[in-house]
Amino acid sequence: MEALTSGYLQLGLFALAFGGLQVWWIRSTLRQRDLARPMREGEFRKALERIWAKQP
């Protein structure tokens, strides 16, 4: 009976790890999609200002 319980425990841990990886992958995919969208004019201006402010 103990082997059956440990098998379920291993299966549960595997399912938990697999689910965690799926959530991570979906979130990273959505983040990349947000980064791929074109910037609005104000966002573009702020990004340029940050870049030029770093120059000595």
Side-chain angles (χ1 to χ4, degrees):
M1 193 68 180
E2 186 176 322
L4 187 63
T5 305
S6 67
Y8 282 127
L9 179 63
Q10 288 176 354
L11 181 62
L13 289 175
F14 180 77
L16 185 65
F18 185 75
L21 285 173
Q22 281 188 329
V23 168
W24 170 78
W25 180 72
I26 290 170
R27 289 178 69 185
S28 68
T29 301
L30 292 175
R31 183 176 182 273
Q32 287 175 0
R33 187 173 54 182
D34 287 343
L35 291 176
R37 71 170 175 77
M39 287 183 169
R40 295 190 179 107
E41 187 177 339
E43 292 173 336
F44 183 67
R45 185 178 301 126
K46 286 179 183 179
L48 284 179
E49 288 174 358
R50 277 196 310 265
I51 290 170
W52 288 110
K54 292 179 184 178
Q55 299 295 328

